[in-house]
Amino acid sequence: MKKTAFLLIFMASGCLFAQGIRPADGAFPFNVLDMAENSPVSCRDLNTEIKNDSLHVVTDPSGHLSVGGERLRIFGTNLSGFPEKDQAERNARSLADRGYNCIRFHHTDADWTNCFIKKAPDGKRVIDPVQLDKFDYFVFMLKKYGIYVNLNLLTGRTYTEKDGMPAGTDKISDWKNRHLLGFWNKKARDLQKNYARTLLEHVNPYTGIALKDDPALCIVEINNEQGMVHSYFSNNFADTPDILWNELDILWNAWLKEKGETYESLAAVYNQTYAEGKSLIGSKNHWNLEQHSGAKASKTGEGNNAVINITGNGGAGWHIQFNTPGLKIEKDQVYTISFKAKASKKVTINAGLMMAHDPWSNIGWSKNINLDKDWADYSFVVSGLQPDSNARLNFGDMGYLAGTKIELKNIEMKEGGKLTSVRKSPNGVLLPQSGDYGELPENYKNLVLNFLYDVEAAYWTDMRDYVRNTLSCPALIMGSAMGNTTTGLSMIFDIIDSHAYFNHPSFPGKGWDQNNYNIQNDDLTRQECSKTLTNLAGFRVFGKPFSVSEYDHPYPNQFSAEMYPMYAAFASYQDWDAIYTFCSDVIESNEAKNRRISGYFDQTHNPVKTAAAPIAARIFRTGAIPPESSYVWMSLNEERERKNLQKFGGWSVGNPSLWGFKPVMAMGAQTGILWNEDPKVDWNGCSVEKTSGLAGALKEKLNKSSVGLSGDTGISSIFWEEEKGTFLARGENAFVYVGRKESPHMKEASNPVFNNFEFIPSGDFASIMGVRKEDGKWIFFAGSWSGNKGEQLREYGQTTPYSASKEVVQRANVKLTSKPPYSSKEALTLSAGGLLKSLQGKLKFTPLSEKGLPSVKARKGTEFELSETSGSLWYLLEP
């Protein structure tokens, strides 16, 4: 195969419009749902039809996914619906064209998705035979195009009293919190098991075999984003009815009995009075009123008294905070925090103790405070805090309370107090509610969390065994995502999974209110190397496949063209096993609906996502950005994990930073956890380096302007310069570049081991990705922006859109929203403009249409001018 050498150079020109805004003049539609049969962009050649006698997906001895002894990398997406049967083959073909080889069926048990479950006349939830038939036929078509199935057993279902659940279940306000009940309640678990049996034992009339026996079913997931420890930290038990909480309290007391504990033995240790000591907060402390991201407030009052008038909302609760720093928190010390408070109307704020320095984490006490118009006294005795020489008492969650006056009086914090942590219940010892957790002594906190850990472990084991043994299902099984469960609890499963979103939509009022939302508009390239992608790398466990089953840069983020290139390149570099995007839509017969961005997470109609998918898929699935050859790992076992449970948080259960992980490590090595391994033994024959040793190696490798370069492969490298915003990945057969106009020139950033293209951009942002196919041809994606026609984008908090008649591009770091949330008109996009040069003679250069075929006559030469308004996001280059 003839190889052509190129070099990428980025030398941006032009300037941003005022406040980062410019018109999206010349934006064009680019809908790629129906590629031509002979399109060079299509990835259909990567898939192989899955037949009834095909081999199942397994985990190989090296800890990766494989089929028939060959490595399998999954490039998947989520679906929450089934196409009509006359559109099923079109959907399957389009998914294969775009590079997908697995569909994660997510929220297909929810009331609002019109999928598997419907409400019967008696109010019970039953399987809908019409929707099941649509699913069966779709699976039949997915198999034809070589696409596997990942089936989620519990994601959106609403358990109700009509289903036989105990009285009070219907009063649990959040349907997701009802998914907790099966961890200890038999009826809830039986409902989940019956659902699993119905789907997995059902014989598909189009394939002729039960889903559980079908090689196309590669993964079964037990319970999406759920866990006992996670939910306790997140206060998800708050409205659990008494009858169900009593069941858990009975289990708690049985567990304590096994440990030899009684009310008397625990009270003797934890119910103590501590003498009053020095005062940490009084009338002389300095207080700060913080206002972020457009939130507005003013403060009057002196010393430890304050009146806070909130006049403008921010984009998050923490955007208005009132705090006093410099508190020295001692280990094993007890403190009493007291104050009086009221508000001009009923509101809830938060009081907590947290670091007054990076990373600003809570150190062990957080309490929601319900305020009314009348003064109320509040007093809390807290212990078990994380020692810190510069902590702060913080009043927060006021960023959405515009029009409210908060009054605080006589704020004090002193050493000492009377602890009454252990309380009686009819069953013996009362299981503390999560709202009281912050006041518990450290060892008692750990005792409670270890009980929840064991309850969770029993659930995972029972559900795994039910699927694998009772139902005889050979598919790989995973429990839930890291961040919601722990590493140790996940070790009984076949796959370690995680989720991540770069700037998830925020809803200041009611959850998921599409008329009141905002998204932080920023590009990932300019983030410190400690967010989103690099954070994920610490959750991996060496020896098990690692999956990211949800990932997105949600609309209307103006930099979403960066998502697929960075995601695929980084995952390939880290040698992950499965990456999914969230969430695709089914293609409908209504073509107007098929041409507009329909939601925050739309992967089907957003041009810079759909067009990027096939190139990203080919890069990841072929490992075209070769994996890093050096490793860094964190040693962990169950004993260490259990001792540190109290250091986790609601959505950071299993947080790898506790074991020594730093995200920057992922830019210089494959990173992950070694479970129950001797730290002195290399894993699987690899050159393994201890965390402590890597710090020095990375320090030598890094410089002031770069986050990191890869190690020893010689043909691949990742470069991430976050101050100016540059991301580069390259291999012999692939390259990725994402950057802003002020990013360093690629010639300066590039490792001379491999040079491909010289590209001088003319726009303010560019996302470019190319891959060389087996025939020697390069397919590359070039994009910079997408949005809906008539979307009326505006900054959150403003009533006037940037333009009522034109689409605009916003490059400033602001909170964006739109009204209506999504326009009903078609999606538009802009390519990446610039000058493409060949350094090795003439090239044949062809822009491609949305069908993936030549849109204009091919040009030959050494220089090719690309325009943001070229009408294409795809280009073909032939040596």
Side-chain angles (χ1 to χ4, degrees), residues 798-811:
Q798 302 297 316
T799 58
T800 304
Y802 293 128
S803 173
S805 59
K806 281 190 173 185
E807 293 69 52
V808 300
V809 180
Q810 169 62 288
R811 297 302 190 200

Side-chain angles (χ1 to χ4, degrees), residues 78-79 103-109 116 149-156 192 195 199 217 219-224 478 499 549-550 582:
N78 287 256
L79 276 177
I103 299 301
R104 180 175 181 247
F105 285 99
H106 185 73
H107 280 309
T108 48
D109 60 341
F116 286 130
V149 171
N150 174 339
L151 183 67
N152 291 189
L153 294 182
L154 188 57
T155 51
Q192 187 179 4
Y195 176 79
L199 292 183
L217 180 68
I219 298 170
V220 174
E221 180 183 311
I222 303 298
N223 197 333
N224 176 64
M478 59 189 190
H499 299 167
S549 61
E550 293 184 24
F582 189 91

Side-chain angles (χ1 to χ4, degrees), residues 482-550:
M482 296 301 299
N484 304 104
T485 189
T486 77
T487 303
L489 290 168
S490 299
M491 290 304 295
I492 69 166
F493 294 108
D494 301 303
I495 297 172
I496 303 296
D497 186 50
S498 192
H499 299 167
Y501 291 84
F502 179 58
N503 294 335
H504 192 281
S506 175
F507 302 92
K510 182 182 177 181
W512 298 101
D513 182 354
Q514 296 183 357
N515 291 307
N516 186 15
Y517 82 93
N518 66 77
I519 284 180
Q520 187 67 46
N521 186 51
D522 202 0
D523 51 328
L524 184 59
T525 60
R526 292 169 68 90
Q527 303 301 307
E528 292 183 4
C529 193
S530 60
K531 192 168 186 179
T532 314
L533 283 177
T534 45
N535 271 346
L536 285 168
F539 286 116
R540 177 186 181 184
V541 176
F542 288 120
K544 283 186 178 288
F546 183 66
S547 161
V548 181
S549 61
E550 293 184 24

Side-chain angles (χ1 to χ4, degrees), residues 268-277 332-336 381-383 414-421 441:
V269 176
Y270 297 115
N271 290 357
Q272 299 285 337
T273 299
Y274 297 83
E276 183 176 317
D332 298 327
Q333 181 60 263
V334 174
Y335 300 93
T336 298
V381 180
V382 300
S383 64
K414 298 179 179 180
E415 293 179 344
K418 183 178 181 180
L419 283 175
T420 55
S421 304

Side-chain angles (χ1 to χ4, degrees), residues 106-172:
H106 185 73
H107 280 309
T108 48
D109 60 341
D111 296 340
W112 64 87
T113 56
N114 190 30
C115 291
F116 286 130
I117 291 181
K118 71 174 183 178
K119 186 183 292 187
D122 62 359
K124 293 182 179 179
R125 267 67 174 176
V126 297
I127 297 295
D128 186 334
V130 175
Q131 295 299 321
L132 181 59
D133 183 64
K134 287 164 62 175
F135 172 76
D136 287 339
Y137 190 71
F138 190 33
V139 169
F140 175 61
M141 284 299 168
L142 291 175
K143 292 179 64 174
K144 177 180 177 180
Y145 288 91
I147 300 175
Y148 290 96
V149 171
N150 174 339
L151 183 67
N152 291 189
L153 294 182
L154 188 57
T155 51
R157 184 173 182 178
T158 304
Y159 289 137
T160 69
E161 294 166 28
K162 290 289 182 69
D163 294 320
M165 290 298 296
T169 300
D170 292 351
K171 294 181 180 180
I172 299 176

